[in-house]
Amino acid sequence: MPPSDNGQSTSAVREGMQLDVDKLLAYLRAHMPSSAPLVEPVVVKQFEHGQSNPTYFLQDAAGNRYVLRKKPPGALLSATAHAVEREFRILNALGRHSNVPVPAVYALCEDKEVLGTPFYVMQFLEGRIFTDNLLRSVQGDRKAYYYSIIDTIAKLHKAPYKEIGLSSYGKPGNFYPRQLARLTQVSASQAAVTDSAGVPVGALYNLPASSAWFTANLPADEVSLCHGDFKLDNVVFHNHDPRVIGVLDWELSTVGHPLSDLANLLLPWYTPPGNFGADLSLMNEKRPLPVPEAEDMLKVYCEKVGRPYPIPGWNFCVAFAFFRLAVITQGVAARMKRKQASSAKAAAAASLFQPCAKRVAQIAATGSLFELITPPPEQQQGPAGAPVPKL
């Protein structure tokens, strides 16, 4: 039977995303290991929860269930985007040589003649995926769910990436400076995109001042494996227990800075209501929360990875997470200008890029993660050569 609606609901394969099932089965007959039997016929459906890489649910005649992830069809804007080959590589390494909970992977196909783009097949995890940060559907101790996530992210950051075959998985060191340079360049390109009336997307709010603040407040360099998009809805929990059984969506994984993952996970705790909406913001929720506070999770994380608390430069890490999200959502706005995206979800995402940029400006101007005073652009940018405040 198809997966129950625990964040893993499926539907018929969407238009333009169909697979050549005959070619797929011929490939799988030759390449699936004996530990992953496949009894034909096989039913193919598509997961409804949004992924940038098309993701399919396979169920064979014996009830065996698998997941197939592939690059999207057609020409891709970036040669490095939608890197399912990298996903397979890190899942294979972590699954074989670490205690990080991930689904098992069974076959990688890089031959475009089979399904048009590369794909891989992995284990289907029977469990629960949540999108509500307050876990309102959970009965019992909700805090235990988040502490299991913290335990999982600590295991990832402690994994010896060189020893498990991932020494060449990314450039070690200078993660934040490299990311800032790249994202600033991407943002400039996106800002210049215009619609049919010539109206541009526009630059991120106070980008020069924010960039200067980032440069002046870089945290100490660290190196670990990073998921790249670690958040609640990329985690699968056991069907009954508050225990993580798998982490999904490794498309953005790399060798990076561990605090970037942690800040991304905890971003809702530093997100105000208003433009972000109630679902994304926990700042103004009534206390005490039914889930842990960010500070409680930071303390537990520090204990598990053996680092001191409080974390120096944490404001930078949170501000960078907002900056990264600003650039991502600005990209959605650019695609809307080009009429490459038009859904309600796309419009909602596109509306976030300036609020995210303003959160960066707030943190830079106040030195606080909780003061919501946004200085006018002319005040924050200041005269040329003006000193940039440090935390």
Side-chain angles (χ1 to χ4, degrees):
M1 60 183 297
S4 57
D5 190 9
N6 280 329
Q8 303 201 70
S9 55
T10 61
S11 62
V13 177
R14 295 186 279 280
E15 185 66 30
M17 297 292 178
Q18 295 91 343
L19 305 179
D20 187 324
V21 177
D22 290 337
K23 285 187 175 181
L24 170 63
L25 292 180
Y27 182 87
L28 296 182
R29 285 188 213 109
H31 294 90
M32 286 287 275
S34 58
S35 60
L38 194 69
V39 181
E40 299 178 35
V42 174
V43 175
V44 179
K45 293 183 176 293
Q46 192 167 2
F47 284 97
E48 293 180 352
H49 187 60
Q51 301 95 358
S52 62
N53 288 320
T55 306
Y56 303 84
F57 173 74
L58 312 180
Q59 180 167 300
D60 73 4
N64 298 307
R65 298 181 291 179
Y66 304 100
V67 174
L68 183 151
R69 277 172 67 80
K70 71 184 292 289
K71 286 189 179 182
L76 300 179
L77 295 177
S78 169
T80 59
H82 311 283
V84 297
E85 303 92 337
R86 284 177 61 82
E87 284 191 9
F88 181 91
R89 182 182 174 190
I90 192 169
L91 286 169
N92 190 47
L94 291 173
R96 291 175 179 269
H97 306 297
S98 83
N99 59 354
V100 180
V102 293
V105 290
Y106 301 121
L108 170 67
C109 176
E110 298 179 89
D111 182 357
K112 296 179 182 179
E113 295 300 315
V114 180
L115 294 183
T117 59
F119 67 91
Y120 71 91
V121 176
M122 68 180 179
Q123 175 188 15
F124 170 74
L125 296 176
E126 178 65 59
R128 296 171 292 168
I129 296 176
F130 300 106
T131 57
D132 170 22
N133 290 307
L134 290 178
L135 304 177
R136 293 176 179 88
S137 64
V138 169
Q139 302 296 318
D141 182 11
R142 301 185 216 174
K143 293 184 178 182
Y145 286 79
Y146 274 101
Y147 288 129
S148 181
I149 295 178
I150 295 299
D151 181 65
T152 301
I153 199 171
K155 288 176 179 176
L156 172 63
H157 294 161
K158 289 165 66 178
Y161 71 95
K162 294 180 181 178
E163 288 84 344
I164 65 174
L166 296 173
S167 58
S168 62
Y169 198 66
K171 294 180 180 179
N174 294 315
F175 172 80
Y176 277 125
R178 287 187 286 107
Q179 286 291 301
L180 286 167
R182 176 180 171 275
L183 290 173
T184 299
Q185 183 179 32
V186 169
S187 180
S189 298
Q190 294 173 167
V193 172
T194 61
D195 59 19
S196 57
V199 178
V201 172
L204 297 183
Y205 183 85
N206 271 0
L207 180 57
S210 293
S211 296
W213 180 86
F214 278 131
T215 301
N217 290 279
L218 284 166
D221 197 22
E222 298 178 37
V223 177
S224 77
L225 281 178
C226 289
H227 178 273
D229 194 23
F230 211 112
K231 55 194 177 81
L232 179 64
D233 61 0
N234 278 333
V235 170
V236 184
F237 285 95
H238 185 275
N239 260 335
H240 307 291
D241 301 333
R243 174 169 53 87
V244 174
I245 62 171
V247 182
L248 306 177
D249 198 359
W250 293 81
E251 176 189 344
L252 299 177
S253 59
T254 189
V255 174
H257 198 298
L259 296 181
S260 63
D261 271 348
L262 192 60
N264 197 71
L265 171 67
L266 299 182
L267 205 60
W269 279 259
Y270 306 106
T271 302
N275 291 319
F276 292 96
D279 291 341
L280 297 177
S281 169
L282 296 182
M283 274 187 69
N284 283 16
E285 287 288 334
K286 183 179 179 181
R287 264 52 182 183
L289 293 176
V291 297
E293 291 287 1
E295 289 302 311
D296 296 327
M297 289 185 277
L298 287 173
K299 290 176 184 177
V300 172
Y301 174 83
C302 289
E303 290 174 3
K304 289 185 176 294
V305 300
R307 67 182 301 151
Y309 172 88
I311 298 174
W314 180 242
N315 284 19
F316 173 100
C317 301
V318 174
F320 175 82
F322 277 111
F323 173 63
R324 175 177 171 271
L325 184 56
V327 176
I328 290 171
T329 51
Q330 183 193 39
V332 179
R335 291 193 292 276
M336 291 193 71
K337 289 284 188 183
R338 290 173 171 160
K339 299 190 181 301
Q340 295 172 328
S342 59
S343 70
K345 285 186 177 180
S351 71
L352 293 179
F353 84 87
Q354 292 296 22
C356 286
K358 288 181 179 180
R359 277 299 283 138
V360 178
Q362 289 169 344
I363 296 168
T366 65
S368 168
L369 296 175
F370 299 103
E371 290 186 37
L372 302 179
I373 301 170
T374 307
E378 64 273 14
Q379 288 186 18
Q380 187 175 353
Q381 288 176 354
V388 179
K390 289 179 70 71
L391 295 182

